[in-house]
Amino acid sequence: MASGAHSHHHSTTIDSPAIEPDEDRRDFLILATSAVGAVGVAGAAWPFIRSWSPSADVLSQATTEVDVSAIAEGQMITVPWQGKPVFVLHRSPQQIKSAQEGDKASLPSPQTDGERVIKPEWLVVLAICTHLGCVPQAIGTGEFGGFLCPCHGSHYDTSGRIRKGPAPANLTVPAYMFKDEKTLVIGKAKE
Ligand code: FES
């Protein structure tokens, strides 16, 4: 077991009294905080995360709306959807190229990048490792420039596909759609 897999447990700084003692959600909130810090978009992403009150109402909501206009190219935020963390990555041209080149690789779980995205610029995947459910590290980690799950060393590419390690499947793409140019709706497919 790699060290640091759960290191975010030690840096709890959540100050909201509304937080319930729910392990998954605490993991998510802290991950969101550290992921945002890591990519330096605190100014852009904090208002959203701060304003999200983890009430039962929110948890049971079928959809999550995200204003993606503040996410710069190459940056990623983590948002809650039905109590699960979701990575929303604004892919750079290099990240898109890398994902498309991966189509030709020998993939453990074959799927083209085109099958996994609606717009090439946006990758939307559940931040839940398909091995045993850890939250993978933020974009730019692992051997394929995507997401490393340090729990047992699963490497995902910039399309969220498993490329190396014990995870049996690609990161799950939830149903989603773009309501308009800047509004991503997770949990709902386009009619
Ligand atoms: S949970 Fe085992 S590698 Fe991710």
Side-chain angles (χ1 to χ4, degrees):
M1 175 112 171
S3 68
H6 288 288
S7 59
H8 48 275
H9 279 293
H10 305 300
S11 57
T12 307
T13 54
I14 303 300
D15 53 14
S16 165
I19 305 272
E20 298 157 15
D22 176 313
E23 265 308 304
D24 287 331
R25 278 241 305 304
R26 190 170 19 246
D27 272 16
F28 154 67
L29 282 170
I30 294 159
L31 173 89
T33 307
S34 50
V36 164
V39 295
V41 291
W46 265 108
F48 174 78
I49 291 167
R50 281 257 192 231
S51 65
W52 177 60
S53 167
S55 63
D57 280 1
V58 169
L59 255 194
S60 63
Q61 254 175 26
T63 63
T64 293
E65 284 200 13
V66 185
D67 177 353
V68 296
S69 62
I71 309 171
E73 198 176 277
Q75 293 183 332
M76 187 181 90
I77 64 167
T78 307
V79 299
W81 170 62
Q82 296 188 355
K84 303 184 198 85
V86 177
F87 287 154
V88 178
L89 168 66
H90 188 174
R91 297 195 301 188
S92 66
Q94 294 91 318
Q95 287 163 339
I96 295 170
K97 187 161 172 267
S98 168
Q100 292 172 345
E101 281 171 1
D103 290 357
K104 299 179 222 117
S106 126
L107 299 167
S109 182
Q111 212 177 16
T112 64
D113 185 58
E115 293 173 273
R116 295 178 52 77
V117 295
I118 293 174
K119 300 181 183 191
E121 294 78 17
W122 295 101
L123 179 73
V124 182
V125 289
L126 292 194
I128 298 173
C129 181
T130 59
H131 181 225
L132 293 175
C134 285
V135 175
Q137 291 174 350
I139 184 66
T141 56
E143 289 177 26
F144 298 87
F147 314 91
L148 169 68
C149 180
C151 293
H152 317 89
S154 286
H155 299 250
Y156 296 90
D157 65 15
T158 58
S159 189
R161 290 172 301 204
I162 185 64
R163 298 293 293 272
K164 181 180 176 186
N170 302 330
L171 295 179
T172 303
V173 178
Y176 70 92
M177 60 169 277
F178 288 90
K179 198 165 85 175
D180 53 47
E181 274 306 300
K182 62 177 195 140
T183 312
L184 165 70
V185 184
I186 303 170
K188 186 177 178 192
K190 197 139 200 140
E191 288 109 33

